Amino acid sequence: DGRSQLLMTIDNFAATTVTSLRTTALNGVAIDVTALGSFTVLSLVVAAFFFHFLFNQQGLLALQVLAAAMGSGLFTFFLKIFFERPRPPVQDRLVDIHGFSYPSGHSLSAAAVYFTLAMILMKKSSSNAVKVGAILLFGLLISGIGISRIYLGAHFFSDVTAGFLLGTAWAALVGSIVLFSSTRTNSIR
């Protein structure tokens, strides 16, 4: 069908463009950047913020971070099983990776967790510079992780885009629920 052909054309163009930039130095950078969206790194980030908020008696924020992370993991798991999209060809990959491709779990989880942290920083700070800095920092981080997945040949552009959209939407939904809950709790007092 025409839409799937267009999607394949976009995916192939993005892969060709990004992989044409490969150098030995950039390969190492891409591996380091992609690690920032890995299960291990995100788990450590989530645990650090979860316990920070918990110990500072900010239970709703602790739950917000935890819900963003856990939900993104569940979305990734079930959507990969549902779509069963194969990864890019092995000869195009710079990393040894298995499993299905759609959506990009690194992109989905990074968007959910890092966007959640950006929203929390924006909410807690009265400084416009901090708010803009949070959006720029986490936006660059999320984008870098997604680009690194394409660069390494682990994912197609559409996998990464879907991950970004789903992760951001999930973070926004969780953030809205927390905002509603905190507003509701404060109005009852």
Side-chain angles (χ1 to χ4, degrees), residues 61-123:
L61 294 181
L63 285 174
Q64 181 178 359
V65 171
L66 189 61
M70 292 181 71
S72 68
L74 289 171
F75 278 127
T76 298
F77 178 78
F78 287 112
L79 289 172
K80 282 183 184 282
I81 290 171
F82 180 78
F83 287 105
E84 294 186 348
R85 183 181 194 188
R87 290 192 183 270
V90 174
Q91 66 271 16
D92 295 341
R93 297 185 212 160
L94 294 180
V95 290
D96 183 29
I97 191 163
H98 306 282
F100 296 116
S101 188
Y102 185 89
S104 165
H106 277 68
S107 301
L108 198 159
S109 295
V113 170
Y114 293 131
F115 183 58
T116 294
L117 295 177
M119 287 189 303
I120 290 170
L121 279 171
M122 290 174 58
K123 180 181 173 190

Side-chain angles (χ1 to χ4, degrees), residues 48-64:
F49 279 94
F50 175 80
F51 287 114
H52 167 77
F53 291 134
L54 204 58
F55 291 139
N56 287 292
Q57 299 176 356
Q58 296 174 313
L60 269 178
L61 294 181
L63 285 174
Q64 181 178 359

Side-chain angles (χ1 to χ4, degrees), residues 2-18 85 150 155-161:
R3 285 181 287 187
S4 62
Q5 186 61 38
L6 176 62
L7 186 60
M8 286 183 358
T9 301
I10 293 169
D11 282 342
N12 289 334
F13 174 77
T16 302
T17 302
V18 173
R85 183 181 194 188
I150 300 166
H155 284 287
F156 295 104
F157 174 80
S158 55
D159 302 334
V160 169
T161 303

